[in-house]
Amino acid sequence: MASSSAKPPQFSLDKAIRKNILALLPYRCARDDYSEGILLDANENALGHALPRPDRSSGRDCTVAASFDDLDLHRYPSPTHYDIKQRLCELRNVPSPANFFLGVGSDEAIDLLFRISCIPGKDRVLVCPPTYGMYGVCAQINDVEVVKVNLDVEGGKFRPKVDEINRTLSEAARTENPIKLVFLCSPGNPTGTLIPLSDVRAILANPDYEGLVVVDEAYIDFADEPDQASAVKLLVEEGWDNLVIMQTLSKGFGLAAIRLGIAISSPPIVQVLNNIKAPYNISTPTAALALRALSPSGLTLFRQNIRTLLENRDYLHSALLAPPLRELGVIQILGANDANFLVVQIGAKADPSRPDNERANRAYKYMAEKDQVVVRFRGHEHGCEACLRVTVGTRPECEKVVERLRDFLTRE
């Protein structure tokens, strides 16, 4: 039952989470009980790992990073990683480690959210195209129907149609196939546009909606004043129980290879996610690298890199919109540019003001195949006709993108 203090008042775990998941007795692993001493409880190799040490005398490279030599790789990793969560509390201004779930990238969190809330073949989810493709992939894997309410793309706005979303949620609530998840990507992928917290709040407050609102903030560190822009404010300061925020170390921290995703929510929802995750889903090497990144010196480097990328984003934005590229076929840059990429629209050769999807696709292939400058063609997504998504790289890489795009537009 919903408590009198629930926010919104109609929300309760009994309605948002599948009954079999709430009844689940989670697997209890060895490290849930004890983590120090003579550990003979988990059938680990007590002699240690069998990885070779770096052979410095021979001058040959070793495949094992020296920084991992002292890790207890023969032991199972922590199932909780409270030390990482405590550092995330300090970084994101969140009160308790109990608000954090750690997953193998954000994709694990997305998949688990489907599994805890959506009955296959019955419940539905709502997405706002153009958006991150894994929402749809996970929906299909879990046999969940996707309801689409396209973003308002007029003039490259890329803003949710809140009234239409809420109307859709309310109508679905009166059917046998309710919507249980709403995914909002902010800043969007591929839109690069931050969603105002007022829009998120309006959806959270829908009096008919009993499911979860998921705000995917993979690119939040590239927005202006990310602490103020993040939906974490809605969770911590306003106490919305039906809110889940996803973040990652892949983008701002530059640690895509370690696959560490983060979900931030109320402790009851985080506990449900922890109940169904694999017992040791975050590896010891991943945890060690995450702790290094979240250390004081790591955070200093993180903030320095963010500043550099924002400077490079400003350069790339200006260079792409300057002559001669505008004259040759760059129409505009869509979106609000709150991420570490830009969405560039390409025009026709005969009429540079008219979007030309085929020309944009040829530009993408030419740059990748002829010059090994790889961007993403996004012309088949809603509101992204004739668009290339260009990640902001180093300054020389940004200059190379401008040069190669100019070469193509000149030759075409």
Side-chain angles (χ1 to χ4, degrees):
M1 298 294 292
S3 69
S4 58
S5 61
K7 186 175 182 180
Q10 82 280 0
F11 177 79
S12 72
L13 288 184
D14 291 342
K15 296 175 181 177
I17 307 301
R18 295 164 60 190
K19 289 180 173 55
N20 64 307
I21 297 297
L22 287 174
L24 176 70
L25 184 64
Y27 175 81
R28 189 163 186 83
C29 61
R31 289 305 149 259
D32 281 324
D33 297 322
Y34 303 101
S35 59
E36 297 179 352
I38 299 175
L39 300 174
L40 303 176
D41 56 346
N43 301 333
E44 300 153 322
N45 188 329
L47 299 183
H49 64 70
L51 299 174
R53 303 288 177 177
D55 186 2
R56 297 184 177 87
S57 62
S58 67
R60 291 178 297 183
D61 291 336
C62 181
T63 58
V64 181
S67 60
F68 290 159
D69 286 351
D70 296 327
L71 297 181
D72 291 328
L73 297 180
H74 61 303
R75 300 294 184 190
Y76 286 111
S78 166
T80 58
H81 296 289
Y82 285 124
D83 45 0
I84 296 176
K85 294 175 182 178
Q86 186 57 54
R87 292 189 184 184
L88 288 170
C89 284
E90 297 163 6
L91 175 66
R92 300 306 190 192
N93 298 314
V94 174
S96 169
N99 292 109
F100 285 94
F101 169 81
L102 302 181
V104 183
S106 296
D107 294 337
E108 182 182 17
I110 293 170
D111 182 61
L112 293 184
L113 287 166
F114 274 94
R115 290 162 63 187
I116 69 172
S117 60
C118 295
I119 299 174
K122 178 189 175 188
D123 295 332
R124 297 180 287 172
V125 301
L126 187 147
V127 302
C128 300
T131 193
Y132 183 42
M134 278 304 295
Y135 310 144
V137 171
C138 282
Q140 186 166 350
I141 290 171
N142 287 281
D143 192 19
V144 174
E145 180 184 346
V146 175
V147 176
K148 298 178 180 180
V149 177
N150 291 338
L151 295 176
D152 182 355
V153 300
E154 184 179 355
K157 187 182 303 182
F158 294 128
R159 183 165 178 172
K161 300 175 183 176
V162 174
D163 290 344
E164 185 175 344
I165 291 171
N166 276 333
R167 183 169 60 253
T168 303
L169 294 177
S170 296
E171 291 173 353
R174 294 188 285 271
T175 72
E176 296 181 354
N177 306 102
I179 292 172
K180 300 296 289 292
L181 293 172
V182 175
F183 283 98
L184 302 172
C185 197
S186 178
N189 178 12
T191 70
T193 300
L194 192 71
I195 296 175
L197 293 186
S198 58
D199 286 2
V200 180
R201 185 185 295 108
I203 298 168
L204 289 166
N206 183 318
D208 300 317
Y209 181 54
E210 297 176 347
L212 300 175
V213 177
V214 184
V215 182
D216 188 345
E217 295 186 342
Y219 300 95
I220 193 65
D221 292 312
F222 302 102
D224 290 337
E225 299 185 0
D227 290 343
Q228 298 301 312
S230 171
V232 168
K233 283 174 63 67
L234 300 178
L235 177 72
V236 174
E237 298 180 9
E238 301 182 18
W240 292 97
D241 296 322
N242 54 340
L243 173 63
V244 180
I245 303 110
M246 295 192 305
Q247 297 184 353
T248 179
L249 296 191
S250 294
K251 309 301 181 182
F253 282 89
L255 291 173
I258 75 170
R259 309 306 300 132
L260 186 67
I262 302 157
I264 312 170
S265 191
S266 65
I269 291 176
V270 169
Q271 185 59 60
V272 172
L273 290 171
N274 282 324
N275 288 348
I276 72 165
K277 74 173 180 65
Y280 305 106
N281 62 329
I282 304 302
S283 72
T284 295
T286 289
L289 289 168
L291 284 171
R292 282 179 58 189
L294 294 167
S295 67
S297 58
L299 291 176
T300 297
L301 181 58
F302 156 73
R303 294 184 177 107
Q304 175 183 317
N305 287 343
I306 292 292
R307 287 193 297 270
T308 299
L309 286 171
L310 294 184
E311 292 171 358
N312 292 349
R313 186 179 71 187
D314 290 342
Y315 161 76
L316 185 60
H317 187 280
S318 297
L320 288 171
L321 293 180
L325 286 179
R326 289 298 297 271
E327 299 166 356
L328 291 170
V330 171
I331 299 175
Q332 60 183 328
I333 293 176
L334 301 181
N337 306 317
D338 294 312
N340 67 332
F341 56 83
L342 299 176
V343 181
V344 186
Q345 190 173 53
I346 305 299
K349 185 176 181 64
D351 180 5
S353 65
R354 179 177 61 82
D356 187 334
N357 223 32
E358 293 302 318
R359 193 183 191 203
N361 196 22
R362 291 196 300 273
Y364 154 68
K365 292 179 178 178
Y366 175 88
M367 294 169 68
E369 296 171 4
K370 300 292 185 181
D371 298 314
Q372 295 185 317
V373 176
V374 184
V375 298
R376 293 292 294 273
F377 173 68
R378 282 291 178 253
H380 297 310
E381 299 193 42
H382 176 69
C384 297
E385 182 185 8
C387 284
L388 304 176
R389 193 192 68 190
V390 183
T391 303
V392 177
T394 65
R395 179 61 178 265
E397 288 172 338
C398 292
E399 292 172 349
K400 185 70 71 174
V401 166
V402 174
E403 177 185 341
R404 292 298 180 250
L405 182 57
R406 183 178 63 243
D407 290 347
F408 169 81
L409 294 175
T410 302
R411 293 163 60 101
E412 266 273 326

